[in-house]
Amino acid sequence: MHRSQAASANPGLLPLVGRTPIARVQTDLPHPHPGFWAKLECLSAGGMKARAAMSMLMGARGRGELRPGAPVVESTSGTLGIGLAFAGQALGHPVILVGDTELEPSMRQLLRTYGARLELVDRPAPQGGWQAARIARLREVLARTEDAYWPDQYNNPDNPAGYLSMAAELISQLDHLDVLVCSVGTGGHSAGLVGPLRRRWPRLKVIGVDSVGSAIFGQPARPRLMRGLGSSIHPRNVRHGAFDEVHWVGAVEAVDACRRLARGSFVSGGWSTGAVALVSAWAARAEPGAVVATVFPDGPHRYLGTVYDDDFCHAHGLTATAPAGRPLEIRHPYAAEALGWTRCRTVVDPVAAPDGHIRTARVPAPGGAA
């Protein structure tokens, strides 16, 4: 069996996590709006996912599941990998990350620079896509790595617990909050924020933002260009009952929002940032006078070869079609398949209420393409 090289701990890194500012965003997205608040997690060491990574590793250490100096193995599309690389250095654990060949070369280089070892799968699984393929490789790595610990970010309750600190920061930063807009991937930060924020503001409305092609809220799983947003599996950390409505956002809208943010406010990020910014601006327009807040998970730097690259966007048809200015609406997640920005005020847990994958219509993508 393989034993990873031990790592020395650097606890002086721990105070660098969190305590991030909020910024007022009023850039047209794509239309004028009253503005919303964005929590800038790019200004925390390790990005937003460092909160979850620290919580999962420290929880496992406290229960004796993660031995001192033992290796940590996890599947990632990139963002959690940065957080785990940070947590591994802070707590003294070597980190092995299972990614895939869709992972941007710059992100691969960055993760290796931070000391993580990468294992890459080169094809998606027939069922479950890249995520299922990564999990299968992860199990192989666990089997051959002595004392290895798998945080299992999608199903680990210590993931949401890592965002209690963010909730406390938001409560101290905002006098009032009416609408919270959350991107949904593992379900961690939305699950961690909603409880404390609703105790402070009981009438808080929560909007979930998912990716077109994601299975989390009952849509059929499809190949997705956007990474870090949505899922081909059903994470147990997602608390479906916490959401008042859900929006599925397409790559065209996310790219347009990211680029508008960068030009108009100097504050931007990747796919998730563009998606939540778009929906937050819509919510601020739809509910005049409401205080709207969201979380920008990271900055733009890992996306220079994708979201902000003209050749990439042209090759994937992201600039040839005008982005939707408002969402199309469906009455139920099982009633239609969203191909572009779509809103639904009925939120279901597809595991608790499976539908047999029957769809009655397909909501057209922006520009009317089916």
Side-chain angles (χ1 to χ4, degrees):
M1 293 194 299
H2 177 78
R3 177 185 288 273
S4 292
Q5 184 176 358
S8 58
N10 185 0
L13 294 173
L14 299 179
L16 302 179
V17 176
R19 302 173 182 85
T20 53
I22 57 174
R24 188 72 176 167
V25 177
Q26 294 179 292
T27 302
D28 294 356
L29 292 168
H31 305 300
H33 58 92
F36 61 88
W37 294 101
K39 191 143 177 67
L40 306 183
E41 287 293 285
C42 63
L43 298 180
S44 172
M48 181 178 80
K49 294 294 184 75
R51 298 184 191 251
M54 290 299 307
S55 178
M56 290 189 291
L57 297 197
M58 293 181 75
R61 284 162 62 104
R63 293 186 296 271
E65 298 168 3
L66 174 60
R67 298 176 60 180
V72 174
V73 183
E74 182 58 289
S75 162
T76 181
S77 61
T79 307
L80 181 72
I82 296 293
L84 281 173
F86 174 90
Q89 286 197 32
L91 300 176
H93 295 278
V95 173
I96 304 170
L97 300 172
V98 180
D100 56 65
T101 50
E102 296 292 300
L103 189 64
E104 303 94 330
S106 60
M107 178 55 76
R108 299 184 206 180
Q109 184 176 353
L110 186 60
L111 291 169
R112 291 185 177 118
T113 298
Y114 284 140
R117 196 182 95 207
L118 289 185
E119 294 255 350
L120 299 178
V121 296
D122 59 7
R123 59 176 60 91
Q127 298 293 326
W130 287 113
Q131 282 172 302
R134 294 198 304 262
I135 294 299
R137 174 68 66 84
L138 180 146
R139 296 186 186 280
E140 296 174 6
V141 176
L142 287 173
R144 65 174 187 257
T145 306
E146 187 175 350
D147 291 334
Y149 171 72
W150 174 27
D152 189 10
Q153 59 171 319
Y154 297 99
N155 305 301
N156 188 335
D158 289 331
N159 177 347
Y163 297 101
L164 297 179
S165 60
M166 184 191 291
E169 291 168 23
L170 283 168
I171 289 170
S172 70
Q173 291 168 321
L174 296 169
D175 294 329
H176 183 71
L177 183 59
D178 296 296
V179 181
L180 176 69
V181 179
C182 288
S183 59
V184 185
T186 68
H189 89 275
S190 57
L193 292 181
V194 170
L197 295 185
R198 277 207 169 122
R199 286 192 290 273
R200 177 67 177 85
W201 297 294
R203 301 185 67 176
L204 178 68
K205 179 179 181 178
V206 180
I207 301 176
V209 180
D210 198 2
S211 168
V212 168
S214 166
I216 292 175
F217 291 99
Q219 289 279 299
R222 297 281 185 264
R224 303 186 310 280
L225 185 63
M226 298 193 285
R227 299 178 68 79
L229 179 66
S231 177
S232 300
I233 59 177
H234 297 108
R236 290 200 297 270
N237 279 332
V238 177
R239 298 180 185 173
H240 295 80
F243 297 99
D244 295 284
E245 62 182 78
V246 61
H247 289 233
W248 294 274
V249 174
V252 169
E253 288 84 20
V255 163
D256 180 73
C258 284
R259 291 180 168 217
R260 286 177 181 270
L261 285 171
R263 292 192 302 268
S265 66
F266 205 79
V267 171
S268 193
W271 304 107
S272 297
T273 293
V276 296
L278 176 72
V279 176
S280 296
W282 170 88
R285 291 194 304 273
E287 301 189 32
V291 178
V292 179
T294 191
V295 179
F296 287 1
D298 58 8
H301 302 92
R302 80 169 269 198
Y303 307 97
L304 297 180
T306 53
V307 171
Y308 302 96
D309 184 88
D310 290 341
D311 291 337
F312 175 92
C313 291
H314 177 74
H316 290 88
L318 302 181
T319 53
T321 303
R326 60 183 176 84
L328 294 167
E329 293 205 32
I330 57 176
R331 59 179 177 80
H332 194 281
Y334 303 158
E337 180 180 348
L339 301 181
W341 183 15
T342 304
R343 176 194 186 199
C344 186
R345 283 176 278 186
T346 300
V347 181
V348 300
D349 179 347
V351 175
D355 73 309
H357 306 290
I358 297 172
R359 300 293 182 272
T360 60
R362 287 168 68 86
V363 175

